[in-house]
Amino acid sequence: MANSGTSDPTTVSGPTPDQDSIQEQHPAAPAADFWAVFESAPDAYLLLAPDPPRFTMMAANEARLRATLTRREDVIGRPLFEVFPDNPDDPAATGVRNLLASLKEVLRTGKPHRMALQKYDIPTPGGGFEERYWDPLNSPVLDEDGKLIYIIHRVEDVTEQVRSGSRLRILESVVTTANDAVVVTEPEPLDEPGPRIVYVNEAFTRMTGYAPAEVIGRTPRILQGVGTSPSTVRRIRAALERREPVRAELLNYRRDGSPFWVEISIAPVLDESGRVLQWTSVQRETTERRQAEETTLRLTHETAARAQEAKTRTEIESVLDKLRESEARYRLLADTIPQHIWTTDPDGYHGYFSRRWYDFTGATPEETKGEGWLRFVHPDDRERTVARWQHSLRTGEPYSIEYRFRRADGEYRWFLGQAMPQHDEMGAITGWFGTLTDISERRRLDEERERRREELERVTESRATLMRGFGHDVKNPLGAAMGHAQLLAEGILGELSGRQRESVERICRSIDTAIRLIHDLLDLARAEAGQIEVECVATDVGRAAREIAEDFRAQATAVGLALDVRVPDGLRADTDPTRLRQILANLVSNAVKYAPQGQVTVDAEIRPSGGPRPGAWVALRVTDTGPGIPEDKREQIFQEFTRLDPEAQQGAGVGLAISRRIARLLGGDLTVESEAGRGSTFTLWLPPAAPE
Ligand code: ADP
């Protein structure tokens, strides 16, 4: 273009308003057709006068005005650097100086001068400057004589190229110097053998050991190996087919065969139509991170395992401690309690005996182990013991036996041996737990009691026999004496004087008392020997009471005693009527004898409770208003030969004893309530008769 300035200036026509004036001042101005070219040229042109330092702007084309955001009238005829000074906000601005130097160079040499790329910011209409990069070329326009008449200042606005160029350079330097490996491949084929590598950066070489020349033209799949996860590769492949970016972690192999982990990020480079131009993949090595992760994981596992182990150990130890403690306690207990403790295995083979056992037998653990203990069993008890033990082992039934064991001093002691089978959670017998309780003392007491009981029985029996014999022996002569005394008393053997009769009557009374006494004693003896027989029938209690009261009425009246019977009609007991009368007679007789003041009442009623056993009872009572019976004597009076006033000589002290025995034989009881000085109430409890 610069050279076009040297063409015939007459061809430049003047569509612009300034054309005429330019031509006026500079006769060599280009012809009109050149103006058209000048105006429509895509590059920015400025026609400068060679009048330094003004460099008056003679003409500017549309592109130039557009590029510099100026209007023609603002620039034409004005000095270049007045309109386009340096950006005052840019202290590094060198635009004016460089352009001036270049223009001077053109003036000096008469040759075009290409300036270096210029940063030459331009003022904006709203004030301020806009960053711009320019690629300027200053060319001389010479006339026919070779005289420089203009300088054409052509500038190409390369701001865009500079911007994108620098971005590219930045990107390039980033890619080149990045620590992450960058691989660029062709778009296809995704099938075998895979897209070919067109670019790798330095980091790729560092990471893989492959120089660019070794891999360009080959596929990134050369990095894969046996450890590379096929499922991850499949996932990447699927994303590529969908032309989508993908991220994955993959095990790759270096040139020397060593594996390394990478985090890979693949993205398509698309053109405007969405076609894949290239694939870029950025790979970051994660081996260390993975190793760290794996180490952390392993450490975590190990720590957890160790903690668990420690915990388990602590638990076991605490259980053991507890066991030891409980075993110690158990042994202490076993050694302390007054029993021998032993255990056996499921077959009955003895393993453990508490210390006491060894103290007792004087045996060593060896001697008494297994079946050794049998040697200490009394020979007479052995057979029985073995049989009983075998039975328990066979059936699992608890074992219980009394047998004798030989003490260290040779004496045999009685023991109660007991054992229970121990079961596991499945119910199988795991062993036996047994105890040996020394029952020698108990057995001695039992034997003693038994001996006494037998002796008592024998004594009672012999006393009963004695009494019976004695009774008969005495009763007969007494009966004979009575008979004779009565013959005398009745005057059958001759008339007696008054004093003689009195004496004979006394003899009769004494004999009567003696006979009754003997009768009572015989009764007592029989009762003690359980030889009294009773025959219970439904008995009218009121009638028996009235009969007995009548028997004693004279006697009562004689001592000034009122005697009342208050029994409801039809009250019946299930009892032996003879024995009932015997008891009643005894009670009324006692009342008349020992409580001869006020009055005696015999009454009876059915009581729903309060008897010797639960249920309804007939309570037959004999109440007096006599002296009463002291509290501490109330039980004693029911024992044989007890008399509260031994001097009284009125009885042998057996009446109440016999009465209570008989009452109990009748299925009831005889009790007393009393208040000193106010009287006593004897209650005979009898089972009621069944309703008719
Ligand atoms: P005994 O054959 O001597 O009458 P009991 O066994 O019938 O003997 O009575 C024992 C003793 O109980 C009597 O000696 C008497 O002291 C006392 N006793 C019995 N009944 C009464 C009563 N109703 N009031 C006071 N004391 C009584």
Side-chain angles (χ1 to χ4, degrees):
M1 263 316 252
N3 291 337
S4 64
T6 59
S7 310
D8 185 5
T10 58
T11 59
V12 176
S13 59
T16 62
D18 311 331
Q19 190 184 337
D20 294 343
S21 66
I22 290 170
Q23 279 181 334
E24 276 164 24
Q25 289 173 26
H26 300 278
D33 54 335
F34 277 99
W35 279 113
V37 176
F38 179 75
E39 274 301 321
S40 57
D43 291 336
Y45 287 98
L46 194 60
L47 196 64
L48 302 171
D51 54 352
R54 278 178 59 93
F55 294 103
T56 307
M57 293 180 278
M58 302 306 292
N61 73 350
E62 266 306 310
R64 169 70 195 200
L65 295 172
R66 212 170 36 244
T68 55
L69 307 173
T70 44
R71 290 173 303 167
R72 200 175 297 270
E73 57 268 32
D74 295 333
V75 298
I76 299 304
R78 296 185 65 191
L80 173 64
F81 296 109
E82 207 179 283
V83 181
F84 299 109
D86 269 335
N87 179 358
D89 291 339
D90 183 359
T94 54
V96 169
R97 201 180 64 210
N98 292 342
L99 179 53
L100 191 60
S102 178
L103 293 175
K104 284 181 174 167
E105 182 70 14
V106 173
L107 288 178
R108 194 177 61 81
T109 62
K111 288 193 173 139
H113 181 256
R114 181 174 214 116
M115 290 171 67
L117 197 71
Q118 294 297 301
K119 180 172 184 295
Y120 192 70
D121 297 347
I122 53 165
T124 57
F129 283 79
E130 193 181 295
E131 186 191 70
R132 286 293 170 93
Y133 290 89
W134 307 96
D135 181 13
L137 177 71
N138 297 310
S139 308
V141 178
L142 306 173
D143 64 6
E144 298 88 54
D145 303 328
K147 185 179 165 242
L148 191 149
I149 50 169
Y150 295 110
I151 296 173
I152 290 183
H153 174 63
R154 189 210 71 172
V155 284
E156 196 180 343
D157 184 344
V158 291
T159 308
E160 266 315 299
Q161 286 93 313
V162 167
R163 283 198 189 135
S164 61
S166 73
R167 204 163 54 218
L168 269 176
R169 273 195 302 281
I170 292 166
L171 286 175
E172 199 180 326
S173 86
V174 166
V175 168
T176 314
T177 59
N179 279 325
D180 295 339
V182 176
V183 178
V184 180
T185 68
E186 290 176 344
E188 285 175 335
L190 294 179
D191 291 328
E192 292 305 319
R196 294 195 307 170
I197 297 174
V198 294
Y199 172 83
V200 293
N201 68 351
E202 289 166 20
F204 177 87
T205 304
R206 281 199 303 277
M207 193 182 285
T208 63
Y210 287 107
E214 289 177 293
V215 289
I216 291 193
R218 298 174 73 190
T219 165
R221 292 176 196 176
I222 57 168
L223 298 173
Q224 296 172 8
V226 283
T228 310
S229 158
S231 68
T232 309
V233 170
R234 272 201 300 278
R235 186 162 69 79
I236 294 172
R237 165 79 193 258
L240 299 188
E241 273 170 3
R242 292 193 302 269
R243 294 181 304 167
E244 284 172 5
V246 61
R247 251 179 128 84
E249 194 161 21
L250 208 60
L251 187 71
N252 277 348
Y253 291 82
R254 289 185 238 274
R255 190 171 185 271
D256 64 7
S258 59
F260 66 103
W261 280 97
V262 287
E263 193 178 77
I264 185 166
S265 188
I266 303 174
V269 179
L270 304 173
D271 65 8
E272 303 84 58
S273 65
R275 207 154 46 88
V276 178
L277 294 176
Q278 286 169 333
W279 292 103
T280 62
S281 111
V282 178
Q283 304 179 6
R284 173 170 298 181
E285 181 159 1
T286 57
T287 309
E288 274 179 24
R289 197 196 75 203
R290 285 257 339 184
Q291 275 170 354
E293 272 173 14
E294 275 164 16
T295 308
T296 311
L297 199 68
R298 190 164 43 78
L299 281 177
T300 311
H301 276 308
E302 277 174 17
T303 313
R306 238 174 265 139
Q308 181 58 43
E309 196 184 301
K311 192 171 154 230
T312 311
R313 202 179 308 130
T314 315
E315 274 169 9
I316 289 174
E317 238 137 55
S318 104
V319 168
L320 280 178
D321 270 357
K322 274 192 203 123
L323 267 180
R324 276 194 283 267
E325 198 181 301
S326 74
E327 167 146 346
R329 233 186 273 151
Y330 160 73
R331 279 187 185 271
L332 185 71
L333 181 74
D335 289 344
T336 313
I337 60 170
Q339 278 173 314
H340 304 293
I341 308 288
W342 51 267
T343 61
T344 77
D345 67 10
D347 300 326
Y349 191 87
H350 281 66
Y352 168 82
F353 281 99
S354 53
R355 197 174 46 78
R356 274 174 178 270
W357 166 257
Y358 302 109
D359 292 347
F360 173 81
T361 55
T364 63
E366 275 310 306
E367 286 174 300
T368 182
K369 204 168 79 176
E371 292 187 336
W373 61 278
L374 263 174
R375 279 191 289 144
F376 297 88
V377 176
H378 193 288
D380 293 353
D381 300 340
R382 248 175 240 166
E383 202 179 318
R384 183 168 60 87
T385 301
V386 171
R388 183 69 196 79
W389 183 222
Q390 291 301 335
H391 174 79
S392 282
L393 290 178
R394 220 173 30 247
T395 59
E397 284 172 21
Y399 170 73
S400 179
I401 189 171
E402 291 188 9
Y403 44 9
R404 284 161 290 181
F405 277 100
R406 194 178 67 229
R407 200 159 61 182
D409 63 4
E411 190 189 313
Y412 280 94
R413 302 280 295 174
W414 275 99
F415 285 91
L416 169 66
Q418 286 173 304
M420 292 288 286
Q422 308 295 299
H423 298 99
D424 63 15
E425 52 290 353
M426 304 299 292
I429 293 180
T430 55
W432 291 77
F433 177 86
T435 57
L436 283 169
T437 312
D438 191 329
I439 52 166
S440 301
E441 192 57 19
R442 197 204 76 197
R443 277 190 74 109
R444 195 185 61 74
L445 289 176
D446 282 355
E447 281 165 12
E448 174 74 14
R449 201 174 299 128
E450 180 61 12
R451 200 176 48 74
R452 283 206 186 161
R453 197 188 59 77
E454 282 170 8
E455 194 176 291
L456 188 68
E457 229 169 54
R458 205 159 30 81
V459 168
T460 311
E461 171 63 38
S462 63
R463 192 173 69 175
T465 314
L466 187 77
M467 293 289 278
R468 270 200 304 279
F470 169 79
H472 282 117
D473 290 351
V474 177
K475 245 168 56 183
N476 289 339
L478 277 179
M482 181 62 117
H484 286 286
Q486 277 170 348
L487 286 176
L488 280 173
E490 285 163 15
I492 293 167
L493 301 178
E495 208 54 38
L496 297 180
S497 70
R499 287 181 63 205
Q500 285 170 331
R501 181 174 290 113
E502 204 177 307
S503 187
V504 169
E505 277 170 2
R506 271 203 194 131
I507 290 168
C508 284
R509 277 207 297 278
S510 290
I511 291 173
D512 187 51
T513 304
I515 288 175
R516 244 186 291 155
L517 195 60
I518 286 164
H519 196 264
D520 278 354
L521 287 174
L522 281 173
D523 237 8
L524 179 66
R526 272 205 297 273
E528 277 179 347
Q531 290 167 349
I532 290 180
E533 279 172 16
V534 293
E535 205 178 321
C536 292
V537 292
T539 307
D540 189 323
V541 175
R543 203 164 94 194
R546 278 188 294 275
E547 280 172 12
I548 297 301
E550 284 323 304
D551 287 351
F552 287 92
R553 187 162 303 283
Q555 211 179 321
T557 310
V559 291
L561 203 58
L563 186 52
D564 280 352
V565 177
R566 297 182 200 144
V567 178
D569 282 342
L571 180 61
R572 301 180 333 144
D574 179 30
T575 197
D576 184 319
T578 312
R579 296 300 171 185
L580 168 62
R581 282 192 183 84
Q582 184 183 352
I583 295 167
L584 261 179
N586 189 265
L587 295 177
V588 174
S589 144
N590 277 354
V592 173
K593 277 193 287 184
Y594 305 117
Q597 305 99 336
Q599 81 160 59
V600 173
T601 313
V602 181
D603 63 14
E605 61 183 0
I606 294 274
R607 294 250 188 103
S609 61
R613 287 180 300 279
W617 291 88
V618 171
L620 176 58
R621 308 191 301 172
V622 178
T623 305
D624 64 55
T625 52
I629 299 154
E631 192 175 348
D632 59 327
K633 302 283 194 260
R634 279 176 210 157
E635 271 307 296
Q636 268 187 31
I637 55 172
F638 292 103
Q639 284 168 10
E640 303 90 344
F641 314 113
T642 304
R643 291 177 302 189
L644 294 186
D645 180 7
E647 306 301 313
Q649 294 280 327
Q650 284 165 303
V654 294
L656 287 175
I658 294 170
S659 294
R660 178 174 264 183
R661 273 177 193 275
I662 294 171
R664 289 179 178 172
L665 273 173
L666 292 172
D669 204 356
L670 178 64
T671 59
V672 66
E673 289 162 87
S674 182
E675 208 177 323
R678 311 201 63 163
S680 312
T681 298
F682 286 84
T683 306
L684 172 64
W685 303 91
L686 294 171
E692 276 170 297

